[in-house]
Amino acid sequence: MSESVGPGMPGMTAATAFAGMRRVPPVVFKAGCPDCRGRFELAASALRLAIGATSRTTFYSFTCPECGAAVRKPAGERVVELLTGGGVRTLRLHSTV
Ligand SMILES: [Zn+2]
C-alpha cells in the first residue's frame, strides 16, 4: 500500500496569472449633459444601458460628473452596439408588448 501523493499544484504566481490577461485600452464614451451643458468622456463603468422591447424604451443613462444630474438618453441601434461592445453594463428590460 503506497501512499499516494496528491496532484502537484501548478505554480501559479501572480505574475503568471496576469501574463494571461491582455491589456485592453480603456474605452471612453463622449457624452454631454443637458443640465449643465458639460461635455466629458465617460468610462464604460460609468454608463448603464437599458434595452427595452422597442427602440423607444432603449436608453442609456449616466450621472453627470460635473453637476451630478441623472441623465437618460435614448439609444439607437448603433449606440447600443457601441456601448455593449465597449463593456457597458446592460440591463434587459422585460416588457410585454
Ligand atoms: Zn451636468
Side-chain angles (χ1 to χ4, degrees):
M1 205 168 169
S2 61
E3 205 163 290
S4 62
V5 182
M9 293 290 282
M12 195 75 166
T13 64
T16 55
F18 280 108
M21 287 170 69
R22 264 187 296 162
R23 259 192 170 258
V24 187
V27 184
V28 289
F29 299 96
K30 286 191 179 128
C33 174
D35 262 34
C36 67
R37 294 181 173 270
R39 300 208 133 257
F40 34 79
E41 291 184 339
L42 292 168
S45 57
L47 289 153
R48 290 292 136 79
L49 176 67
I51 297 177
T54 68
S55 57
R56 278 188 188 179
T57 50
T58 301
F59 55 88
Y60 65 96
S61 60
F62 59 88
T63 304
C64 174
E66 309 221 343
C67 71
V71 182
R72 182 184 279 203
K73 289 190 173 184
E77 262 180 60
R78 267 197 186 176
V79 177
V80 170
E81 265 180 46
L82 269 173
L83 296 179
T84 51
V88 172
R89 205 178 281 186
T90 306
L91 179 76
R92 280 179 195 278
L93 304 172
H94 296 279
S95 54
T96 45
V97 182

